[in-house]
Amino acid sequence: MMVRTEQELAALCVALIGGTASLSSAERTLAKASAAAALAEGQLADAQQQISNGGDPLGDAFTRIRTPDARRVAGAVYTPQAIIRSMMTWLAAQAVPARIVDPGAGSGRFILSAGEAFPSAQLVAVETDPLAALMLRANLAVRGWSDRATVLVKDYRAVKLPRCAGVTAFIGNPPYVRHHGIGEEWKAWYASTFAKLGIKASALAGLHLHFFLQTRQLAMPGDIGAFVTSAEWMDVNYGSALRRLLISELGGLALHVLEPKVEAFPGTATTAAITCFRMGETEQPVRVRAVGEVAELNGLTKGIDVPRGQLLSAPRWSVIVRPSAPSAEGEVELGELFRVHRGQVTGANGIWIAGDHTAGLPDSVKMPAVTKAKDLLQAGAHLGSADALRRVIDLPADLDGFSVADRKRITAFLEWARRQGAHSGYIAQHRKAWWSVGLKAPAPILCTYMARRAPQFTLNACDARHINVVHGLYPRAPLPEAAMGRLVAWLNKNVSTGHGRTYAGGLTKFEPKEVERLRIPSLETLLA
C-alpha cells in the first residue's frame, strides 16, 4: 500500500470509514481538503486486508510521510507492538475493565489491542491531530468497532468522562513534548492542579507528565493503568511531582525501565519506562526492575519490591532501579569536597563569543574560555594554555570605568548587538545589564557533561573561564595542588557512562548534582 502524501492518507481513511457523518469539524475540514486525492486501484482493498490481519498500514504510512521533526513537535511517537503486547498482558492480569481509555491514541495501536483483549469493553480514544483521528476511525471501522468506540478529537487535559459501572483502564503512550512547546495556560493548570493535591510542581515538566496528572483527575479508586513514556522524570527535579503523585495519589504499582541500549521508540534519543498504577493504592510496595531487552518485558511481572517510603524519600529513582555498588571504606562523595556548577549561559553565542565583529573591543573584556566540549577532549587531563581557546565578551554592568576611547568602541559594539536583538532574549532580559554575560570565576577542574562517552575531567591550569557546555568544579575549601591532579587522574580512569543518565543511542548526561554524587577516594587517600 503506497501512500505518498498526507492528503492521500486522509482520503484513504475517509474511504475506509465510509463517509464523513461521524467526524469532528477538524476531521471534516481535513477530509474536504483531501477529497481530490485519488486512490490507486486496489489500494482500499489492500488496506482493509492489512488492517484485518492486525497490521497498522495507516500508522506506518503516517510515520513515513510526516518527518520525525514534524512529529516530534506534537509528540507523535508510535509504540512498537512488542511493548503494547506486554502492557496488555499485564492489564489482563489485573482486571477485566469495562472501559479502556487511551489518552494519546494516534492511529489506535493501544486501543485496538485492548479491543481484542477485552471484547466487552467500551473504548475511548483521545487524539488532537485530525489526521491521526481519521486513521484511528478507519482502523475501528474495518474491525467493525465504530459503535463500541468513542473518539474525542481534543486535548486530553480538557476531557471529562461519564461515570462507569466497572473498572476503567488507562493505557497508552502519552505524547512527549518538552515544556517549551506547552502554553502558559496549561503550565498554570499543571501547577495549580498539583497544588490542590498538596504537591509543588515545576513548569519545566513535559506534556507526558501532564497526562499522568489528568489521569489522576479522571480516575476513580480501583481504576488501573499503564503508560510507556520517556524515563527522564525518574531523576530530574521537575519529575519530583510525578514521583510523589505515584506514591501518594495515583497508586504506582510497578516501574519497568528499559536499558538505554534498547531503542524503545525508534528514531528518538530517549529511554523508556513503563509505569503501572492502581488508583488509590498507598500501601503495596512498588515493583521495579531494569529491562535489557524488549523480549524480557513479558507480562511486566518481574522485579524487586521497593517500599513506598523508600521511593518517596529518594531524590532520584534510577539508583533504585539500577542500584550501584555499596560505598567502600575511605570513599566520600565528590560534593563533600567540591561544588559543581554548569558554566554561564551567554544567550547568544554568535554575539558574545569573539570574532571579527568584536575586533575593536579592548582585550580586557575578551576572556579566554572553554566554549565547546571539544576544547577539553583535545586538552585531555591538563589544560595548560589558553592560546587555542576562543574568547567570550564579558562586559561589566557598569561601563564607567573604561577610557573614553574604549567606551566609544564598546558603545558601537553594543549598538550593533542591539540591532541583532541581543538585548531582547530571555537570558539578556534577566541579567542585571543585558550586555553583561557574567562569567563565573575560573574553576580549577572542568568536565564535559554530555557525550557518548564518559566525561573528560581536565585540570584548568591556565585559569580559563567556561560557558554552559561544560561544568566547573570549585573546592569548598582550599586543596593542595597535588590532590587536584591526582583527583583528575582518578576521575578519568574510574568514572564511566553508567554513573550518569544515559539516553537511547548511548548519549550520556551528567547534571551538576550527579557529578557531586560521584564517590571518590578521600582526600587522605588521594594524598597518600
Side-chain angles (χ1 to χ4, degrees), residues 344 346 348-359 361-372 375 383-395 413 437 439 460 462-467:
Q344 186 64 42
T346 71
N349 284 354
I351 290 172
W352 302 112
I353 294 180
D356 292 342
H357 61 290
T358 62
L361 293 177
D363 289 340
S364 63
V365 302
K366 299 176 181 179
M367 302 296 179
V370 173
T371 58
K372 52 185 184 295
D375 292 338
L383 182 63
S385 171
D387 291 348
L389 300 178
R390 293 191 289 179
R391 271 54 179 163
V392 174
I393 307 307
D394 194 26
L395 294 163
F413 167 74
V437 171
L439 291 174
N460 183 15
C462 64
D463 288 338
R465 308 298 182 93
H466 66 291
I467 62 173

Side-chain angles (χ1 to χ4, degrees), residues 308-321:
R308 305 179 88 82
Q310 182 180 343
L311 285 167
L312 190 59
S313 63
R316 54 199 291 256
W317 283 9
S318 65
V319 295
I320 295 174
V321 175

Side-chain angles (χ1 to χ4, degrees), residues 7 43 59 199 218 235 248 383 392 394 403 441 477 511 516 523:
Q7 289 72 29
Q43 196 172 42
I199 300 173
L218 295 174
D235 291 337
S248 61
L383 182 63
V392 174
D394 194 26
S403 68
E511 294 289 0
E516 289 187 358
L523 185 59

Side-chain angles (χ1 to χ4, degrees), residues 279-317:
M279 179 66 180
E281 177 60 61
T282 59
E283 301 295 331
Q284 182 175 322
V286 178
R287 181 155 294 183
V288 304
R289 67 166 171 158
V291 182
E293 302 288 346
V294 170
E296 295 175 5
L297 285 170
N298 299 317
L300 305 182
T301 58
K302 296 182 179 180
I304 60 171
D305 291 338
V306 178
R308 305 179 88 82
Q310 182 180 343
L311 285 167
L312 190 59
S313 63
R316 54 199 291 256
W317 283 9

